Amino acid sequence: MMNLLHLQYLLEIAQCKSISQAAQNLFISQPYLSKVISKVEQDVGFAIFVRTSSGIKITKEGELFLEYAGQIKKQIDNIYNIKPQMEVQSNLSIATVYSSMVLQSFLDFQSMYKNEAIHDEFCEDTFNRMIERIVQRKSRIGISINPKNSKLLKQDYYDQYNLETEVLLENVPVRAIVYKGNPLSKKKFVTIEELKQYPFVYYKDTHPDEFVNILGLSSQHEIVYVSDRGSYSDILRTGRYVSVTLEMSRQQKRYSGCCCLPIKDNDILAEIKYIKPKQYELTQREKQFLQFLKTSLEKEIM
């Protein structure tokens, strides 16, 4: 049976690209580490490393072996993290897609506990990295905002990661967001066809093609995908780009110089939900936060 510790040793060698350096990092002798390599290679029946004058080289079989070994190590780490992650904790650990509304609700909720020594965590990221944080237990709750016909709303997508979801708000209208210097900003509402006259900026995500399909954009349409809110705002403020958002009029100040406009005959609706591991039970404070978030979003959007 293969020793899990030996897998860690081989991963360290691959990381260092040096047996001697890996031995130093692992606080073991180089001869012993060489014996470990020979033992594992004998067990699997192929060479993982080839020694060269400049160090070591990973064989093709070794590359695949190390890929699987890395996956095994990650899952072992997850197993050891089960207990601390499942223990009742008073702090919030939230991961969300980029949203000023969710951030403001988090800050408003947190302000109610300003006299208590609670260290909450809040992370904004793209959808796939938010899911990754939940799967790896780096965050306990995720907040997702997706178009209603998105494949990312189907439960089988979350089942593969052993996650469950619950809707906070559905049938949320999507609005256009433009810079105040853009001619569209003078209108009371805009149409999809008017928006198509401009290049778009949007957050990079797992399935950017969904954004194109939902808006009915051509595959040749100019779109800049960004991975942070600062770049998103800066590009909008050039006046050349437009986007779509859930942010309402009270949120416009967070995108300085921009305004949100209703989209006429808009059938693009979104859904906001929270995500968590299936085995994880929400704490009382987490339940309070999710209810607070739901109420805040209803006031903001409806």
Side-chain angles (χ1 to χ4, degrees), residues 26-280:
L26 295 166
F27 301 102
I28 59 178
S29 69
Q30 183 173 336
Y32 175 73
L33 188 53
S34 295
K35 288 182 180 179
V36 169
I37 297 173
S38 298
K39 175 67 168 60
V40 174
E41 290 180 333
Q42 183 179 357
D43 287 345
V44 297
F46 54 80
I48 299 171
F49 302 111
V50 175
R51 290 172 175 82
T52 68
S53 57
S54 58
I56 62 162
K57 181 180 178 181
I58 304 173
T59 66
K60 289 185 177 180
E61 294 88 348
E63 289 178 355
L64 192 57
F65 173 90
L66 292 166
E67 178 185 343
Y68 292 150
Q71 294 173 8
I72 292 170
K73 183 181 181 300
K74 185 179 292 185
Q75 295 306 321
I76 294 297
D77 290 342
N78 287 338
I79 289 172
Y80 282 116
N81 281 330
I82 289 175
K83 186 176 185 296
Q85 290 295 337
M86 293 304 173
E87 289 175 344
V88 175
Q89 301 183 52
S90 58
N91 74 311
L92 295 177
S93 178
I94 307 296
T96 177
V97 294
Y98 294 101
S99 170
S100 292
M101 295 185 298
V102 175
L103 174 59
Q104 188 58 53
S105 295
F106 174 83
L107 295 175
D108 291 343
F109 181 81
Q110 192 183 46
S111 67
M112 298 189 301
Y113 295 84
K114 58 185 177 182
N115 295 324
E116 298 184 27
I118 298 176
H119 303 287
D120 293 327
E121 300 172 6
F122 185 89
C123 176
E124 281 187 314
D125 217 322
T126 55
F127 178 85
N128 59 316
R129 288 205 289 260
M130 180 268 291
I131 291 294
E132 184 178 323
R133 289 188 65 86
I134 304 301
V135 171
Q136 296 180 358
R137 306 301 192 262
K138 293 180 180 179
S139 298
R140 297 194 297 275
I141 298 174
I143 306 297
S144 166
I145 303 174
N146 295 105
K148 286 206 69 174
N149 57 347
S150 168
K151 67 184 73 171
L152 302 180
L153 291 180
K154 296 179 180 178
Q155 186 55 45
D156 56 0
Y157 174 85
Y158 299 98
D159 285 341
Q160 65 182 317
Y161 299 112
N162 203 28
L163 302 175
E164 63 184 11
T165 68
E166 184 166 323
V167 175
L168 292 171
L169 212 59
E170 56 184 349
N171 298 325
V172 180
V174 173
R175 293 194 173 198
I177 181 168
V178 301
Y179 182 64
K180 288 185 178 177
N182 187 300
L184 295 180
S185 66
K186 298 179 175 59
K187 294 177 170 287
K188 292 183 178 180
F189 57 82
V190 295
T191 65
I192 291 292
E193 291 305 314
E194 287 174 323
L195 292 174
K196 287 182 181 178
Q197 304 307 308
Y198 296 86
F200 276 78
V201 56
Y202 203 67
Y203 290 114
K204 182 179 179 181
D205 222 325
T206 316
H207 303 283
D209 57 306
E210 286 198 340
F211 176 72
V212 173
N213 294 336
I214 288 166
L215 290 177
L217 301 177
S218 161
S219 59
Q220 304 301 315
H221 199 97
E222 182 181 352
I223 305 175
V224 174
Y225 291 104
V226 298
S227 57
D228 65 275
R229 189 133 51 91
S231 298
Y232 180 80
S233 299
D234 289 344
I235 292 175
L236 278 174
R237 285 197 292 268
T238 66
R240 180 169 176 259
Y241 291 81
V242 299
S243 189
V244 292
T245 180
L246 297 183
E247 314 292 358
M248 299 294 104
S249 58
R250 281 179 285 176
Q251 304 291 332
Q252 289 178 23
K253 61 184 179 182
R254 294 183 196 130
Y255 295 103
S256 177
C258 296
C259 59
C260 299
L261 301 169
I263 301 176
K264 187 179 180 182
D265 300 325
N266 179 19
D267 57 356
I268 306 173
L269 300 175
E271 188 171 281
I272 305 174
K273 59 171 59 177
Y274 77 80
I275 305 161
K276 72 174 186 68
K278 286 185 177 179
Q279 300 87 350
Y280 180 70

